[in-house]
Amino acid sequence: MRIHQYEKAFLAAGGAVLILCLGALAWTTFVMGLHLPGVAGRIDPQAVRTTPPFDQPGVREVAPGRYEAVIIATAWRFEPSEIRVPAGAEITFVSTTTDVLHGFNIEGTRLNMMLIPGQISRNTYTFREPGEFLLICHEYCGLGHHTMVGKVVVEAALRTGATAQPAGSQAH
Ligand code: CUA
């Protein structure tokens, strides 16, 4: 069977695009570490405030340079509504909702989670530069949806070797 040369060129171009896309997918997944936030656990929505780690919302250091930020979403606010984390540290956001579906999006980052009743959402991010970032609920959740905002304050990292202890965090 004879294939016209233009058709061959078209097939080759299609194949090249396919390989490029697969390469981009592999690169972002394995090299850049981008993943869809998966289900990180189940929780009884009625018992969120008494179930660890949500019984103590806020930021805590779990290892040198690694923090866990536990945030509860409820109509229509985030608890706590403001957190402070050091730049350059690995922050794992752990969140859930006590009532209806909420969103968890930190502007200007890839942190974008859906908070579903009964489900724990988890995602890790490192803020490279100090600054202030808006945390918004981007899933419609009722009358007060547009007021459901929080703030992430990224503070300059302390010099190497020192243990960063962001203000507002609790020692346990
Ligand atoms: Cu919570 Cu919109």
Side-chain angles (χ1 to χ4, degrees):
M1 186 180 75
R2 191 174 168 278
I3 301 177
H4 194 280
Q5 72 181 80
Y6 286 162
E7 204 164 2
K8 275 184 190 162
F10 195 80
L11 285 171
V17 168
L18 192 67
I19 288 165
L20 274 174
C21 289
L22 285 173
L25 189 66
W27 180 268
T28 51
T29 304
F30 300 112
V31 180
M32 296 176 69
L34 300 190
H35 302 281
L36 283 177
V39 184
R42 300 277 170 196
I43 189 168
D44 176 3
Q46 310 291 323
V48 166
R49 286 191 171 77
T50 52
T51 308
F54 298 101
D55 54 341
Q56 287 175 330
V59 179
R60 63 184 65 92
E61 189 172 16
V62 291
R66 294 172 67 180
Y67 293 80
E68 189 176 67
V70 177
I71 298 174
I72 299 174
T74 193
W76 290 284
R77 59 186 193 277
F78 291 103
E79 299 169 15
S81 62
E82 180 178 326
I83 60 164
R84 292 173 174 269
V85 296
E90 187 184 286
I91 320 291
T92 298
F93 291 88
V94 187
S95 192
T96 191
T97 161
T98 60
D99 39 43
V100 296
L101 192 83
H102 293 285
F104 186 108
N105 178 230
I106 299 180
E107 280 193 336
T109 75
R110 60 169 169 75
L111 286 166
N112 183 336
M113 305 193 286
M114 189 184 276
L115 306 178
I116 300 167
Q119 179 177 308
I120 298 171
S121 299
R122 190 187 297 267
N123 209 337
T124 298
Y125 190 75
T126 299
F127 296 89
R128 296 288 167 201
E129 301 292 332
E132 286 191 9
F133 295 80
L134 206 57
L135 162 64
I136 58 167
C137 173
H138 63 323
E139 296 285 347
Y140 183 71
C141 55
L143 282 180
H145 163 68
H146 61 288
T147 66
M148 191 167 167
V149 293
K151 190 159 74 169
V152 178
V153 180
V154 181
E155 299 175 322
L158 302 179
R159 65 185 186 282
T160 328
T163 307
Q165 191 59 256
S169 74
Q170 295 157 339
H172 297 293

PDB file of all heavy atoms in Angstrom, residues 76 101-103 137 139-141 145 148, ligand 1:
ATOM      1  N   TRP A  76     -18.732  29.848  57.067  1.00  0.00           N
ATOM      2  CA  TRP A  76     -17.999  30.144  55.858  1.00  0.00           C
ATOM      3  C   TRP A  76     -16.659  30.729  56.233  1.00  0.00           C
ATOM      4  O   TRP A  76     -16.398  31.895  56.047  1.00  0.00           O
ATOM      5  CB  TRP A  76     -18.783  31.156  54.999  1.00  0.00           C
ATOM      6  CG  TRP A  76     -20.023  30.540  54.414  1.00  0.00           C
ATOM      7  CD1 TRP A  76     -20.054  29.665  53.352  1.00  0.00           C
ATOM      8  CD2 TRP A  76     -21.378  30.721  54.812  1.00  0.00           C
ATOM      9  NE1 TRP A  76     -21.352  29.287  53.094  1.00  0.00           N
ATOM     10  CE2 TRP A  76     -22.188  29.922  53.969  1.00  0.00           C
ATOM     11  CE3 TRP A  76     -22.001  31.455  55.825  1.00  0.00           C
ATOM     12  CZ2 TRP A  76     -23.567  29.860  54.092  1.00  0.00           C
ATOM     13  CZ3 TRP A  76     -23.376  31.375  55.942  1.00  0.00           C
ATOM     14  CH2 TRP A  76     -24.142  30.588  55.074  1.00  0.00           C
ATOM     15  N   LEU A 101     -19.417  20.898  50.792  1.00  0.00           N
ATOM     16  CA  LEU A 101     -18.262  20.951  49.909  1.00  0.00           C
ATOM     17  C   LEU A 101     -17.648  22.355  49.919  1.00  0.00           C
ATOM     18  O   LEU A 101     -18.354  23.349  49.786  1.00  0.00           O
ATOM     19  CB  LEU A 101     -18.733  20.620  48.491  1.00  0.00           C
ATOM     20  CG  LEU A 101     -17.684  20.328  47.435  1.00  0.00           C
ATOM     21  CD1 LEU A 101     -17.265  18.871  47.558  1.00  0.00           C
ATOM     22  CD2 LEU A 101     -18.255  20.582  46.054  1.00  0.00           C
ATOM     23  N   HIS A 102     -16.340  22.421  50.115  1.00  0.00           N
ATOM     24  CA  HIS A 102     -15.624  23.690  50.023  1.00  0.00           C
ATOM     25  C   HIS A 102     -14.428  23.515  49.102  1.00  0.00           C
ATOM     26  O   HIS A 102     -14.027  22.392  48.783  1.00  0.00           O
ATOM     27  CB  HIS A 102     -15.125  24.142  51.400  1.00  0.00           C
ATOM     28  CG  HIS A 102     -16.222  24.501  52.360  1.00  0.00           C
ATOM     29  ND1 HIS A 102     -16.947  25.673  52.262  1.00  0.00           N
ATOM     30  CD2 HIS A 102     -16.717  23.843  53.436  1.00  0.00           C
ATOM     31  CE1 HIS A 102     -17.840  25.712  53.244  1.00  0.00           C
ATOM     32  NE2 HIS A 102     -17.735  24.610  53.975  1.00  0.00           N
ATOM     33  N   GLY A 103     -13.848  24.655  48.726  1.00  0.00           N
ATOM     34  CA  GLY A 103     -12.628  24.625  47.924  1.00  0.00           C
ATOM     35  C   GLY A 103     -11.464  25.110  48.766  1.00  0.00           C
ATOM     36  O   GLY A 103     -11.646  25.775  49.784  1.00  0.00           O
ATOM     37  N   CYS A 137     -11.892  29.886  49.131  1.00  0.00           N
ATOM     38  CA  CYS A 137     -12.792  28.779  48.849  1.00  0.00           C
ATOM     39  C   CYS A 137     -13.295  29.014  47.434  1.00  0.00           C
ATOM     40  O   CYS A 137     -13.905  30.032  47.154  1.00  0.00           O
ATOM     41  CB  CYS A 137     -13.954  28.771  49.835  1.00  0.00           C
ATOM     42  SG  CYS A 137     -15.204  27.540  49.422  1.00  0.00           S
ATOM     43  N   GLU A 139     -15.180  26.725  45.685  1.00  0.00           N
ATOM     44  CA  GLU A 139     -16.328  25.872  45.344  1.00  0.00           C
ATOM     45  C   GLU A 139     -17.531  26.553  45.982  1.00  0.00           C
ATOM     46  O   GLU A 139     -17.507  26.855  47.181  1.00  0.00           O
ATOM     47  CB  GLU A 139     -16.170  24.467  45.954  1.00  0.00           C
ATOM     48  CG  GLU A 139     -14.989  23.674  45.439  1.00  0.00           C
ATOM     49  CD  GLU A 139     -15.227  23.120  44.031  1.00  0.00           C
ATOM     50  OE1 GLU A 139     -16.385  23.134  43.567  1.00  0.00           O
ATOM     51  OE2 GLU A 139     -14.236  22.690  43.410  1.00  0.00           O
ATOM     52  N   TYR A 140     -18.575  26.770  45.206  1.00  0.00           N
ATOM     53  CA  TYR A 140     -19.721  27.481  45.762  1.00  0.00           C
ATOM     54  C   TYR A 140     -20.306  26.693  46.940  1.00  0.00           C
ATOM     55  O   TYR A 140     -20.608  25.512  46.824  1.00  0.00           O
ATOM     56  CB  TYR A 140     -20.795  27.709  44.696  1.00  0.00           C
ATOM     57  CG  TYR A 140     -21.935  28.503  45.257  1.00  0.00           C
ATOM     58  CD1 TYR A 140     -21.766  29.850  45.553  1.00  0.00           C
ATOM     59  CD2 TYR A 140     -23.150  27.908  45.548  1.00  0.00           C
ATOM     60  CE1 TYR A 140     -22.783  30.585  46.121  1.00  0.00           C
ATOM     61  CE2 TYR A 140     -24.180  28.635  46.114  1.00  0.00           C
ATOM     62  CZ  TYR A 140     -23.985  29.975  46.398  1.00  0.00           C
ATOM     63  OH  TYR A 140     -24.996  30.697  46.968  1.00  0.00           O
ATOM     64  N   CYS A 141     -20.425  27.381  48.100  1.00  0.00           N
ATOM     65  CA  CYS A 141     -20.835  26.663  49.302  1.00  0.00           C
ATOM     66  C   CYS A 141     -21.953  27.380  50.041  1.00  0.00           C
ATOM     67  O   CYS A 141     -22.161  27.183  51.230  1.00  0.00           O
ATOM     68  CB  CYS A 141     -19.629  26.455  50.213  1.00  0.00           C
ATOM     69  SG  CYS A 141     -18.771  27.978  50.643  1.00  0.00           S
ATOM     70  N   HIS A 145     -20.269  32.212  50.678  1.00  0.00           N
ATOM     71  CA  HIS A 145     -19.132  31.668  49.923  1.00  0.00           C
ATOM     72  C   HIS A 145     -18.068  32.721  49.606  1.00  0.00           C
ATOM     73  O   HIS A 145     -16.876  32.497  49.788  1.00  0.00           O
ATOM     74  CB  HIS A 145     -19.656  31.029  48.632  1.00  0.00           C
ATOM     75  CG  HIS A 145     -18.617  30.806  47.588  1.00  0.00           C
ATOM     76  ND1 HIS A 145     -17.603  29.890  47.740  1.00  0.00           N
ATOM     77  CD2 HIS A 145     -18.412  31.403  46.384  1.00  0.00           C
ATOM     78  CE1 HIS A 145     -16.825  29.923  46.651  1.00  0.00           C
ATOM     79  NE2 HIS A 145     -17.301  30.827  45.839  1.00  0.00           N
ATOM     80  N   MET A 148     -15.474  33.614  52.237  1.00  0.00           N
ATOM     81  CA  MET A 148     -14.686  32.535  52.821  1.00  0.00           C
ATOM     82  C   MET A 148     -13.242  32.616  52.324  1.00  0.00           C
ATOM     83  O   MET A 148     -12.885  32.024  51.306  1.00  0.00           O
ATOM     84  CB  MET A 148     -15.324  31.189  52.472  1.00  0.00           C
ATOM     85  CG  MET A 148     -14.731  30.036  53.238  1.00  0.00           C
ATOM     86  SD  MET A 148     -15.739  28.576  53.096  1.00  0.00           S
ATOM     87  CE  MET A 148     -14.587  27.376  53.741  1.00  0.00           C
TER      88      MET A 148
HETATM   89 CU1  CUA B   1     -16.668  27.471  51.179  1.00  0.00          CU
HETATM   90 CU2  CUA B   1     -17.221  28.459  49.038  1.00  0.00          CU
END
